[in-house]
Amino acid sequence: MWLTIFFCVTLLYIIYRLIKFWIINPWSIQRDFSRQGVPGRYIPIVGEILHRHQAILDDKPYSYVEQAAIKFGDYYHSSFGPFPCLHTSDPGLIESVLKTNSRFYHRAKLGRAILSAFLGYENVLLAEDENHTRHRRLVTPVFQHQNLNSMISSMANITSSFLEKWRITNNEKSSPLTLDISKEMSNLTLDIVTGCVFGVEAMQDRHIHEFIYENLKVATNEMEKRIYNMTIIIPIIKDLPLPGKRRIDKCRRDIKNITLKIINQRRQGLTKATCKGEFLL
C-alpha cells in the first residue's frame, strides 16, 4: 500500500513539474508582462519556434523579428518554447541592461543552454560575474589599440589574396564561378584569426581549415535540429547521450584538440604572431 502511494505521489509530482515548466511558469511571466503594458503574444508550449523556423526555411531569418517589431514596436514579449523572452531595440533599454544596471542581469537560460552545448560554460561568452571579468581580462591584451593596428596590414593582405584566388579561379573556368560563400567566408575568417594571432605558418595549413569548417558545420546543423525539436531545452533529455549530442561533443573535442595543437606550436616558437603588443598566450 505504502509503495503504491509513494509511486502515485512521485508520478503526480513529475506531472506537476512538467506542467509547471511548460505551462505555469511561462504563462505567469507572460501575464506579468501584459499587466505592465508590454505588448506581445504568448503561444503555449512551443512559443515562436515554428514561426522562427519557417523564417529560416524561407531564407529570411530576420523576417520574423522585422514583422514583430512592426506589429509591437521597440519592445515586446514572446516565448521560445517554454522560455519567455523580452525583445527590445530601444537604445535606452539596451544601455540599461548591458551597462547601467548590468550587475542585475544575467545571460538567459535559453541562450546558455544553446551555446553551452558546443562551447561549454568556461568562456568569455557564457561566464558570469567575477568569472566573466577574469576571462575578459585575459583576452583584453589582444584587442589593445597597438595590437589591432599591427594586424590591419595582415588582414588587408589576407583578404586581397583571397580575392586574387577567386579571380584566378574564375579566369581558369569557362563557365561562371560558383562559390559556397558560407564556406569561403569561414575560411577567410580562419585565415585572419590564425594568421594574425597564431602566425602565417598555421594559416597555410589547409587541413586545419577543412577540419575546423567541417566540424563547425556538423555541430551547427545538429544544434539547429536540437533547437527546433526542443531537445536542447528539455531538462534531463538535453543531457542524454543521444546521437545528435554525441556528434556535437565529438566536434567540440576535435576543435579543442586542434586549437590546443595550434597554441602549443605558438608557445614552442614554431609560429609567430602578427600582433606586436602584449600577446594573449
Side-chain angles (χ1 to χ4, degrees):
M1 176 182 175
W2 289 108
L3 185 61
T4 302
I5 293 175
F6 172 77
F7 279 120
C8 289
V9 171
T10 303
L11 180 61
L12 289 173
Y13 176 75
I14 292 173
I15 294 173
Y16 165 74
R17 293 291 298 181
L18 289 173
I19 294 175
K20 188 172 186 291
F21 175 78
W22 287 99
I23 298 176
I24 297 177
N25 286 347
W27 174 79
S28 62
I29 295 175
Q30 302 287 358
R31 180 194 59 189
D32 291 339
F33 280 143
S34 298
R35 286 178 175 175
Q36 295 177 58
V38 178
R41 64 184 175 192
Y42 168 57
I43 301 176
I45 301 179
V46 297
E48 303 292 340
I49 283 182
L50 298 179
H51 293 93
R52 291 176 179 269
H53 193 207
Q54 187 59 50
I56 292 176
L57 293 177
D58 293 340
D59 201 22
K60 298 178 180 178
Y62 298 107
S63 62
Y64 164 77
V65 177
E66 293 169 352
Q67 293 170 7
I70 293 173
K71 183 176 182 179
F72 300 118
D74 290 340
Y75 61 91
Y76 57 92
H77 70 82
S78 68
S79 57
F80 192 90
F83 291 100
C85 304
L86 177 63
H87 308 263
T88 181
S89 57
D90 182 277
L93 291 176
I94 294 173
E95 182 182 20
S96 175
V97 172
L98 298 181
K99 185 178 179 181
T100 310
N101 300 302
S102 60
R103 65 186 181 279
F104 298 116
Y105 296 93
H106 290 81
R107 286 169 178 78
K109 291 182 179 179
L110 174 61
R112 287 172 62 83
I114 293 173
L115 291 176
S116 65
F118 184 65
L119 299 176
Y121 288 102
E122 289 299 318
N123 56 75
V124 73
L125 292 177
L126 294 179
E128 298 278 11
D129 302 324
E130 290 300 321
N131 197 19
H132 176 265
T133 302
R134 181 174 62 84
H135 280 84
R136 190 178 62 191
R137 286 172 180 166
L138 285 174
V139 302
T140 295
V142 174
F143 300 100
Q144 289 179 349
H145 190 261
Q146 60 178 347
N147 273 356
L148 295 179
N149 277 343
S150 66
M151 296 179 189
I152 291 175
S153 59
S154 293
M155 293 179 185
N157 291 336
I158 292 170
T159 304
S160 297
S161 298
F162 228 75
L163 293 173
E164 181 65 15
K165 182 188 72 174
W166 288 356
R167 187 188 65 79
I168 294 174
T169 304
N170 185 53
N171 290 339
E172 292 175 350
K173 292 176 66 69
S174 57
S175 57
L177 177 63
T178 302
L179 296 170
D180 182 344
I181 292 299
S182 174
K183 182 176 181 179
E184 294 294 324
M185 291 298 99
S186 295
N187 285 333
L188 176 59
T189 303
L190 286 172
D191 272 354
I192 291 175
V193 172
T194 55
C196 292
V197 179
F198 297 110
V200 177
E201 298 84 353
M203 182 188 73
Q204 293 173 343
D205 190 337
R206 307 315 301 177
H207 169 70
I208 291 178
H209 285 223
E210 291 296 327
F211 185 83
I212 294 177
Y213 173 77
E214 290 301 326
N215 276 278
L216 285 174
K217 183 178 180 181
V218 170
T220 302
N221 290 338
E222 291 298 333
M223 285 178 63
E224 183 176 328
K225 293 177 185 177
R226 287 168 62 82
I227 289 170
Y228 290 113
N229 62 23
M230 294 194 287
T231 304
I232 202 168
I233 61 177
I234 301 176
I236 300 177
I237 293 179
K238 67 184 178 68
D239 296 319
L240 294 177
L242 300 174
K245 186 177 187 304
R246 291 204 303 270
R247 282 190 285 269
I248 292 174
D249 290 343
K250 181 180 182 301
C251 291
R252 182 168 61 180
R253 288 194 303 269
D254 289 345
I255 292 178
K256 180 179 179 180
N257 290 336
I258 201 72
T259 303
L260 290 175
K261 177 183 176 181
I262 295 173
I263 291 174
N264 287 333
Q265 289 177 345
R266 174 71 183 88
R267 285 174 171 167
Q268 293 168 12
L270 301 177
T271 60
K272 184 178 180 181
T274 302
C275 58
K276 297 179 180 179
E278 184 180 357
F279 188 62
L280 177 62
L281 300 179

